[in-house]
């Protein structure tokens, strides 16, 4: 972050106005720089697949290709189009989250059904990405989850945030690795949802930046598995709306743990943790 520029003028009627004004200008400049960065990032994320797509269209128009080659090219074009669609979809999700008020506590979802849906998605993704050697996915037993009661919040929003952490673990952990999902109640009533993987791990200098929009440690790996670089930015937004926090612990070469802590007042009807 840039240093805040503060100019202090001794004014004959000095009341601190100059100081405040200068701080405001600096904040505006910072917001403007962030906006410019964001637009540059979005343009880059859309332009790259678009350029590839146009290249394929030109090839199809100009070269005499066999039916087999045409179908291969069309498959590659669909991949690029899908990549653009994912970026636009994630950008719309972010803007919707920023523009809508925080959800109330009116909706209660059983923890069991919330995590069951996350599990189904995680297993489907693992099967899709690593057909020959799927990951070992460990989830809490249904009866353990049933005892955890209900959680407050918008179910779809919460489920996609928790699923996102599981999907990242699946996407970044090599085939045959292990992903373990836990749900634990703290003695003070808070609940901790965590995803542990045996993936590549993340160097400490990257960790504080992972929830920034478009921040990726390894761009090519992210793209290969359909990443937009916006997933954790969305997760952070959703969790903030639910009063929850995200902690990331990781060791290079060993794996990572992403933990979400929900405040006690977001849970009801649970049994004490074991
Ligand atoms: P992406 O779409 O690139 O996955 P995310 O916002 O979900 O974007 O994640 C940001 C970056 O954090 C990823 O590009 C990747 O480098 C890193 N990352 C996220 N989850 C993991 C994980 N479980 N193991 C290793 N790296 C991860």
């Amino acid at each position: 972050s840039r240093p805040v520029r503060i100019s202090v003028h001794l004014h004959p009627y000095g009341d601190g106005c100059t100081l405040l004004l200068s701080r405001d200008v600096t904040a505006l400049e910072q917001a403007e720089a962030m906006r410019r960065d964001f637009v540059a990032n979005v343009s880059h994320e859309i332009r790259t697949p678009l350029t590839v797509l146009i290249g394929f269209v030109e090839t199809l128009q100009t070269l005499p290709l066999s039916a087999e080659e045409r179908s291969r090219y069309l498959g590659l074009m669909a991949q690029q189009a899908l990549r653009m669609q994912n970026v636009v979809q994630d950008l719309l999700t972010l803007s919707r989250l920023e523009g809508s008020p925080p959800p109330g506590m009116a909706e209660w979802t059983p923890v069991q059904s919330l995590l069951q849906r996350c599990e189904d998605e995680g297993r489907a993704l693992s099967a899709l990405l690593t057909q020959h050697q799927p990951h070992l996915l460990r989830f809490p037993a249904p009866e353990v989850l049933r005892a955890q009661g209900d959680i407050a919040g918008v179910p779809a929003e919460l489920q996609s945030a928790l699923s996102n952490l599981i999907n990242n673990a699946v996407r970044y952990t090599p085939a045959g690795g292990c992903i373990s999902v836990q749900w634990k109640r703290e003695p003070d009533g808070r609940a901790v949802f965590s995803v542990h993987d045996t993936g590549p791990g993340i160097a400490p200098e990257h960790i504080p930046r992972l929830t920034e929009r478009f921040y990726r440690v390894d761009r090519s790996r992210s793209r290969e598995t359909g990443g937009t670089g916006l997933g954790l930015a969305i997760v952070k937004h959703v969790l903030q709306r639910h009063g929850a926090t995200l902690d990331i612990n990781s060791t290079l070469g060993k794996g990572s743990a992403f933990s979400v802590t929900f405040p006690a007042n977001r849970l009801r009807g649970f049994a004490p943790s074991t």
Side-chain angles (χ1 to χ4, degrees), residues 40-56 80-81 83-84 216 219 223:
N41 276 329
V42 172
S43 313
H44 175 79
E45 295 296 329
I46 301 282
R47 199 181 49 193
T48 311
L50 203 51
T51 308
V52 179
L53 200 53
I54 291 169
F56 283 134
Q80 300 302 320
R83 192 171 136 194
M84 286 192 287
R216 293 144 159 148
R219 268 178 189 275
R223 294 233 173 83

Side-chain angles (χ1 to χ4, degrees), residues 90 164-165 168-173 197 199-202 210-212 214-219 222-223 225-234 250 255-256 258:
D90 279 357
N164 207 310
L165 298 177
N168 273 355
V170 168
R171 285 167 47 225
Y172 291 104
T173 302
D197 67 52
I202 305 158
L210 293 184
T211 54
E212 284 175 22
F214 298 116
Y215 190 85
R216 293 144 159 148
V217 178
D218 178 350
R219 268 178 189 275
S222 159
R223 294 233 173 83
T225 57
T228 61
L230 292 169
L232 289 178
I234 296 176
S250 190
S256 311
F258 287 72

